[in-house]
Amino acid sequence: PYTTLFRSVAKPSRCSINKSVLICTVILLLLGGCATTQPYGSFIQNPSPAFSQYSKVMADDVADQLGRLYPAATTQFNLRHNANDLFGQVLIDKLRSDGFAVLESTSPTNSFLAAIHSAEDIGNTNSTPSEENIQYPGLALGYIIDQSDDLYHVSILIEDQQLTRAFIAQSEQIQPAGLWVRKE
């Protein structure tokens, strides 16, 4: 009776095995993209009309702090992410006007598309190095800005260091709510 049972079990076809491998690979790529993507940029939702003024004050303060820590004429910052928000653009402009070199990020913002492009590059031996693989001189720079009621939090990430400061908005003005905190 046992031999009859084993003979009736169908063997999986090669097609179904290939499909499961493909599905597992896609899921792992998606999960890997989620795990390696850092949340950089501005997380301010529905900014107030005064936020453009707030961005300038906060960006000026960040640039002043960076100027105290690094020599302007000999330091280059390489942005880790696209600075497509108001705070990021003001910060880049202020850093450049203070004498810093700033290399803006032009990498794809979608990690899934980046994974697909890098997988295509692996199969193509004649391809040129992608921007992610090119090493630029300078310090990697990223920022995170978010809001909790009238309190704004700015975190600047330079290589493996993190500088954080809170700002408070009152009467259409914004000012620091404490000192810079450094986390290494």
Side-chain angles (χ1 to χ4, degrees), residues 13 15 17 53 55 69-71 84 90 99 126 140 142 157 160:
S13 68
C15 183
I17 292 173
Q53 176 201 357
S55 291
L69 298 173
Y70 301 97
N84 51 7
V90 172
N126 296 330
L157 300 111
D160 295 332

Side-chain angles (χ1 to χ4, degrees), residues 2-184:
Y2 292 110
T3 56
T4 309
L5 177 66
F6 287 117
R7 288 184 191 159
S8 64
V9 174
K11 292 183 179 178
S13 68
R14 292 184 78 194
C15 183
S16 66
I17 292 173
N18 289 339
K19 285 181 184 176
S20 9
V21 169
L22 179 63
I23 290 171
C24 287
T25 304
V26 169
I27 289 172
L28 288 174
L29 278 174
L30 289 172
L31 291 175
C34 294
T36 59
T37 302
Q38 294 291 327
Y40 295 123
S42 177
F43 294 92
I44 307 294
Q45 295 187 7
N46 304 320
S48 69
F51 186 69
S52 61
Q53 176 201 357
Y54 297 171
S55 291
K56 179 166 178 17
V57 171
M58 291 185 291
D60 287 348
D61 192 65
V62 167
D64 290 344
Q65 180 65 19
L66 291 175
R68 286 191 278 284
L69 298 173
Y70 301 97
T74 59
T75 302
Q76 175 178 319
F77 291 113
N78 304 328
L79 285 175
R80 298 179 183 197
H81 55 93
N82 292 330
N84 51 7
D85 56 275
L86 184 59
F87 174 83
Q89 289 301 313
V90 172
L91 179 61
I92 289 171
D93 293 342
K94 176 68 173 152
L95 287 172
R96 285 182 175 154
S97 69
D98 287 353
F100 289 98
V102 179
L103 179 64
E104 295 184 52
S105 173
T106 58
S107 63
T109 56
N110 188 327
S111 61
F112 180 68
L113 291 178
I116 291 173
H117 289 300
S118 64
E120 289 172 354
D121 289 342
I122 291 170
N124 185 0
T125 57
N126 296 330
S127 68
T128 59
S130 65
E131 183 170 335
E132 294 90 24
N133 297 333
I134 298 173
Q135 296 293 322
Y136 294 105
L139 302 170
L141 174 69
Y143 63 85
I144 300 169
I145 180 170
D146 61 2
Q147 176 186 8
S148 175
D149 293 325
D150 290 337
L151 195 63
Y152 291 82
H153 310 99
V154 177
S155 293
I156 304 299
L157 300 111
I158 307 151
E159 296 292 324
D160 295 332
Q161 297 181 52
Q162 180 176 344
L163 299 171
T164 303
R165 190 170 203 180
F167 293 84
I168 189 161
Q170 295 175 332
S171 305
E172 300 294 320
Q173 299 291 322
I174 192 165
Q175 58 188 7
L179 301 174
W180 281 100
V181 178
R182 184 179 194 167
K183 177 183 175 186
E184 292 187 28

